[in-house]
Coordinates of all heavy atoms in Angstrom, one line a residue:
R1 N -10.4 5.4 9.9 CA -10.0 4.4 8.9 C -10.0 3.1 9.6 O -9.6 2.9 10.8 CB -8.6 4.8 8.3 CG -8.6 6.1 7.6 CD -7.2 6.5 7.2 NE -6.6 5.4 6.4 CZ -5.3 5.5 6.0 NH1 -4.5 6.5 6.4 NH2 -4.8 4.5 5.3
I2 N -10.3 2.1 8.8 CA -10.2 0.7 9.3 C -9.1 0.0 8.6 O -9.0 0.0 7.3 CB -11.5 -0.1 9.1 CG1 -12.6 0.6 9.9 CG2 -11.4 -1.5 9.5 CD1 -14.0 0.0 9.6
G3 N -8.2 -0.6 9.3 CA -7.0 -1.3 8.7 C -7.0 -2.8 9.0 O -8.0 -3.4 9.1
F4 N -5.8 -3.3 9.3 CA -5.6 -4.7 9.4 C -6.4 -5.3 10.6 O -6.4 -4.7 11.7 CB -4.1 -5.0 9.6 CG -3.7 -6.4 9.8 CD1 -3.9 -7.3 8.7 CD2 -3.2 -6.9 10.9 CE1 -3.5 -8.6 8.8 CE2 -2.8 -8.2 11.1 CZ -3.0 -9.1 10.0
Q5 N -7.0 -6.4 10.4 CA -7.8 -7.1 11.4 C -8.9 -6.2 12.0 O -9.3 -6.3 13.2 CB -6.9 -7.6 12.5 CG -6.0 -8.8 12.0 CD -5.2 -9.4 13.1 OE1 -5.0 -8.8 14.2 NE2 -4.7 -10.6 12.9
G6 N -9.4 -5.2 11.2 CA -10.5 -4.4 11.7 C -10.1 -3.3 12.7 O -11.0 -2.6 13.2
R7 N -8.8 -3.1 12.9 CA -8.4 -2.1 13.8 C -8.7 -0.7 13.2 O -8.5 -0.5 12.0 CB -6.9 -2.2 14.2 CG -6.6 -3.5 14.9 CD -5.2 -3.7 15.0 NE -4.9 -5.0 15.7 CZ -3.7 -5.6 15.6 NH1 -2.8 -5.2 14.8 NH2 -3.5 -6.7 16.3
R8 N -9.0 0.3 14.1 CA -9.3 1.6 13.6 C -8.1 2.5 13.8 O -7.3 2.4 14.8 CB -10.5 2.2 14.4 CG -11.8 1.6 14.0 CD -13.0 2.4 14.6 NE -14.2 1.9 14.0 CZ -14.7 2.4 12.8 NH1 -14.1 3.4 12.2 NH2 -15.9 2.0 12.4
Y9 N -7.9 3.4 12.8 CA -6.8 4.4 12.9 C -7.3 5.8 12.6 O -8.3 6.0 11.9 CB -5.8 4.0 11.8 CG -5.1 2.7 12.0 CD1 -5.7 1.5 11.6 CD2 -3.9 2.6 12.7 CE1 -5.1 0.2 11.9 CE2 -3.3 1.4 12.9 CZ -3.9 0.2 12.5 OH -3.3 -1.0 12.7
E10 N -6.6 6.8 13.2 CA -6.9 8.2 13.0 C -5.8 8.8 12.2 O -4.6 8.6 12.5 CB -7.1 8.9 14.3 CG -7.4 10.3 14.2 CD -7.6 11.0 15.6 OE1 -7.4 10.3 16.6 OE2 -7.9 12.2 15.6
T11 N -6.2 9.6 11.2 CA -5.2 10.3 10.4 C -5.1 11.7 10.7 O -6.2 12.4 10.7 CB -5.5 10.1 8.9 OG1 -5.6 8.7 8.6 CG2 -4.5 10.7 8.0
S12 N -4.0 12.3 10.9 CA -3.8 13.7 11.1 C -2.8 14.3 10.1 O -1.9 13.6 9.7 CB -3.3 13.9 12.6 OG -2.1 13.3 12.8
T13 N -3.0 15.5 9.8 CA -2.1 16.2 8.8 C -1.0 16.9 9.6 O -1.2 17.7 10.5 CB -2.9 17.2 8.0 OG1 -3.9 16.5 7.3 CG2 -2.0 17.9 7.0
L14 N 0.3 16.6 9.2 CA 1.4 17.2 9.8 C 1.8 18.5 9.2 O 2.4 19.4 9.8 CB 2.6 16.3 9.7 CG 2.5 14.9 10.4 CD1 3.7 14.1 10.2 CD2 2.2 15.1 11.9
G15 N 1.4 18.7 7.9 CA 1.7 20.0 7.3 C 1.9 19.8 5.8 O 2.0 18.7 5.3
T16 N 1.8 20.9 5.1 CA 2.0 20.9 3.6 C 3.1 21.9 3.2 O 3.1 23.0 3.7 CB 0.7 21.4 2.9 OG1 -0.4 20.4 3.3 CG2 0.8 21.4 1.4
K17 N 4.0 21.4 2.4 CA 5.1 22.3 1.8 C 4.7 22.5 0.3 O 4.3 21.6 -0.4 CB 6.4 21.6 1.9 CG 6.8 21.1 3.3 CD 6.9 22.2 4.3 CE 7.3 21.7 5.7 NZ 7.4 22.8 6.7
R18 N 4.9 23.8 -0.1 CA 4.5 24.1 -1.5 C 5.4 25.2 -2.1 O 6.0 26.0 -1.3 CB 3.0 24.5 -1.6 CG 2.7 25.7 -0.8 CD 1.2 26.1 -0.9 NE 0.3 25.1 -0.5 CZ -0.1 24.9 0.8 NH1 0.4 25.7 1.7 NH2 -0.9 23.9 1.1
F19 N 5.4 25.3 -3.4 CA 6.0 26.4 -4.1 C 5.4 26.5 -5.5 O 4.9 25.5 -6.0 CB 7.5 26.4 -4.1 CG 8.1 25.3 -5.0 CD1 8.2 25.5 -6.4 CD2 8.4 24.1 -4.5 CE1 8.8 24.5 -7.2 CE2 9.0 23.1 -5.3 CZ 9.1 23.3 -6.6
H20 N 5.3 27.7 -6.0 CA 4.7 27.9 -7.3 C 5.8 27.6 -8.4 O 6.9 28.0 -8.3 CB 4.2 29.4 -7.5 CG 3.1 29.7 -6.5 ND1 1.9 29.1 -6.6 CD2 3.1 30.5 -5.4 CE1 1.1 29.6 -5.6 NE2 1.8 30.4 -4.9
D21 N 5.4 27.0 -9.5 CA 6.3 26.6 -10.5 C 5.7 27.0 -11.9 O 5.4 26.1 -12.7 CB 6.5 25.0 -10.4 CG 7.5 24.5 -11.4 OD1 8.3 25.3 -11.9 OD2 7.6 23.3 -11.6
K22 N 5.6 28.3 -12.1 CA 5.1 28.8 -13.4 C 5.8 30.1 -13.7 O 5.9 31.0 -12.9 CB 3.6 29.0 -13.3 CG 3.0 29.5 -14.7 CD 1.5 29.6 -14.6 CE 0.9 30.1 -15.9 NZ -0.5 30.2 -15.9
F23 N 6.4 30.2 -14.9 CA 7.1 31.3 -15.4 C 6.6 31.7 -16.8 O 6.5 30.9 -17.6 CB 8.6 31.1 -15.4 CG 9.2 30.7 -14.1 CD1 9.2 29.3 -13.7 CD2 9.7 31.6 -13.2 CE1 9.7 29.0 -12.4 CE2 10.2 31.3 -12.0 CZ 10.2 29.9 -11.6
D24 N 6.4 33.0 -16.9 CA 6.0 33.5 -18.3 C 7.2 33.4 -19.2 O 7.0 33.2 -20.4 CB 5.5 35.0 -18.2 CG 4.2 35.1 -17.4 OD1 3.4 34.1 -17.4 OD2 4.0 36.1 -16.8
D25 N 8.4 33.7 -18.7 CA 9.6 33.6 -19.5 C 10.7 32.9 -18.7 O 11.4 33.5 -17.9 CB 10.1 35.0 -19.9 CG 11.2 34.9 -21.0 OD1 11.9 33.9 -21.1 OD2 11.4 35.9 -21.7
Y26 N 10.7 31.6 -18.8 CA 11.6 30.7 -18.0 C 13.1 31.1 -18.1 O 13.8 31.3 -17.1 CB 11.4 29.3 -18.3 CG 12.1 28.3 -17.4 CD1 11.8 28.2 -16.1 CD2 13.1 27.4 -17.9 CE1 12.4 27.3 -15.3 CE2 13.7 26.5 -17.1 CZ 13.3 26.4 -15.8 OH 14.0 25.5 -15.0
L27 N 13.5 31.3 -19.3 CA 15.0 31.6 -19.6 C 15.3 33.0 -19.1 O 16.5 33.2 -18.6 CB 15.3 31.4 -21.0 CG 15.3 30.0 -21.6 CD1 16.0 30.0 -23.0 CD2 16.0 29.0 -20.7
A28 N 14.4 33.9 -19.1 CA 14.7 35.2 -18.6 C 14.9 35.2 -17.1 O 15.6 36.0 -16.5 CB 13.5 36.2 -18.9
F29 N 14.2 34.3 -16.4 CA 14.4 34.0 -15.0 C 15.7 33.3 -14.7 O 16.5 33.7 -13.8 CB 13.2 33.2 -14.5 CG 13.5 32.5 -13.1 CD1 13.4 33.3 -12.0 CD2 13.7 31.2 -13.1 CE1 13.7 32.7 -10.7 CE2 13.9 30.6 -11.8 CZ 13.9 31.3 -10.7
L30 N 16.0 32.3 -15.5 CA 17.2 31.4 -15.2 C 18.5 32.1 -15.7 O 19.5 31.9 -15.0 CB 16.9 30.1 -16.0 CG 17.7 28.9 -15.4 CD1 17.3 28.7 -13.9 CD2 17.3 27.6 -16.2
E31 N 18.5 32.7 -16.8 CA 19.8 33.2 -17.4 C 20.6 34.0 -16.5 O 21.8 33.7 -16.3 CB 19.5 33.9 -18.7 CG 20.8 34.3 -19.4 CD 20.6 35.0 -20.7 OE1 19.4 35.2 -21.1 OE2 21.6 35.2 -21.4
P32 N 20.1 35.1 -15.9 CA 21.0 35.9 -15.0 C 21.6 35.1 -13.8 O 22.8 35.3 -13.4 CB 20.2 37.0 -14.5 CG 18.8 36.6 -14.7 CD 18.8 35.6 -15.9
R33 N 20.9 34.1 -13.3 CA 21.4 33.3 -12.2 C 22.5 32.4 -12.7 O 23.5 32.2 -12.0 CB 20.2 32.5 -11.6 CG 19.2 33.4 -10.9 CD 17.8 32.9 -10.7 NE 17.0 33.7 -9.8 CZ 16.4 34.8 -10.2 NH1 16.5 35.2 -11.5 NH2 15.7 35.5 -9.4
L34 N 22.3 31.8 -13.9 CA 23.3 30.9 -14.4 C 24.6 31.7 -14.8 O 25.7 31.2 -14.6 CB 22.8 30.2 -15.6 CG 21.6 29.2 -15.4 CD1 21.3 28.5 -16.7 CD2 22.0 28.2 -14.3
R35 N 24.4 32.9 -15.3 CA 25.6 33.7 -15.6 C 26.4 34.1 -14.3 O 27.6 34.0 -14.3 CB 25.2 35.0 -16.3 CG 24.7 34.7 -17.8 CD 24.6 36.0 -18.6 NE 24.2 35.6 -20.0 CZ 24.9 35.2 -20.9 NH1 26.2 35.0 -20.7 NH2 24.4 34.9 -22.1
E36 N 25.7 34.4 -13.3 CA 26.4 34.7 -12.0 C 27.1 33.4 -11.5 O 28.2 33.4 -11.0 CB 25.4 35.2 -11.0 CG 25.0 36.6 -11.2 CD 26.2 37.6 -11.0 OE1 27.1 37.4 -10.2 OE2 26.2 38.7 -11.7
A37 N 26.4 32.3 -11.6 CA 27.0 31.0 -11.2 C 28.2 30.6 -12.0 O 29.2 30.1 -11.4 CB 25.9 29.9 -11.3
Y38 N 28.2 31.0 -13.2 CA 29.4 30.7 -14.1 C 30.6 31.5 -13.5 O 31.7 31.0 -13.5 CB 29.1 31.1 -15.5 CG 30.3 30.8 -16.4 CD1 30.6 29.6 -17.0 CD2 31.2 31.9 -16.8 CE1 31.7 29.4 -17.8 CE2 32.3 31.7 -17.6 CZ 32.5 30.4 -18.1 OH 33.6 30.2 -18.9
R39 N 30.4 32.8 -13.2 CA 31.4 33.6 -12.6 C 32.0 33.0 -11.3 O 33.2 33.0 -11.0 CB 30.9 35.0 -12.4 CG 31.9 36.0 -11.7 CD 31.2 37.3 -11.4 NE 30.1 37.2 -10.5 CZ 30.2 37.0 -9.2 NH1 31.4 36.9 -8.6 NH2 29.1 37.0 -8.4
I40 N 31.0 32.5 -10.5 CA 31.4 32.0 -9.2 C 32.1 30.7 -9.3 O 32.9 30.3 -8.4 CB 30.1 31.9 -8.3 CG1 29.5 33.2 -8.0 CG2 30.3 31.1 -7.0 CD1 28.1 33.2 -7.6
L41 N 31.9 29.9 -10.4 CA 32.5 28.6 -10.5 C 34.0 28.7 -10.7 O 34.5 29.6 -11.5 CB 31.9 27.9 -11.7 CG 32.2 26.4 -11.9 CD1 31.7 25.6 -10.8 CD2 31.7 25.9 -13.3
A42 N 34.8 27.9 -10.0 CA 36.2 27.9 -10.1 C 36.7 27.5 -11.5 O 35.9 26.8 -12.2 CB 36.8 26.9 -9.0
P43 N 37.9 27.9 -11.9 CA 38.4 27.5 -13.2 C 38.4 26.0 -13.5 O 38.2 25.6 -14.6 CB 39.8 28.1 -13.2 CG 39.8 29.2 -12.2 CD 38.9 28.7 -11.1
H44 N 38.5 25.2 -12.4 CA 38.5 23.7 -12.6 C 37.1 23.1 -12.3 O 36.9 21.9 -12.2 CB 39.5 23.1 -11.7 CG 39.2 23.4 -10.2 ND1 39.8 24.5 -9.6 CD2 38.5 22.8 -9.3 CE1 39.4 24.5 -8.4 NE2 38.5 23.5 -8.1
G45 N 36.1 24.0 -12.2 CA 34.8 23.6 -11.6 C 33.9 22.9 -12.6 O 34.1 22.9 -13.8
S46 N 32.9 22.2 -12.0 CA 31.9 21.5 -12.7 C 30.5 22.0 -12.4 O 30.3 22.4 -11.3 CB 31.9 20.0 -12.4 OG 33.2 19.4 -12.8

């Protein structure tokens, strides 16, 4: 790559982070986790 004042630069990849974000039934995935979290939440909790 050529940058400011014609200086050359080399680009290297440090790494890629990824995760899959697709659910056939989103609420079926989320609901049991939220129900457990409700139990775990303190009586004064947010």
Side-chain angles (χ1 to χ4, degrees):
R1 297 172 58 186
I2 299 177
F4 183 66
Q5 294 184 342
R7 295 170 181 160
R8 287 191 170 273
Y9 294 84
E10 181 179 2
T11 302
S12 57
T13 300
L14 299 179
T16 300
K17 308 295 182 185
R18 61 176 61 85
F19 68 86
H20 298 293
D21 186 14
K22 183 178 181 179
F23 300 88
D24 293 330
D25 191 336
Y26 186 64
L27 290 191
F29 162 75
L30 204 56
E31 180 175 7
R33 291 158 172 82
L34 296 183
R35 289 194 181 277
E36 285 294 328
Y38 179 84
R39 175 187 60 79
I40 293 162
L41 189 64
H44 59 269
S46 299

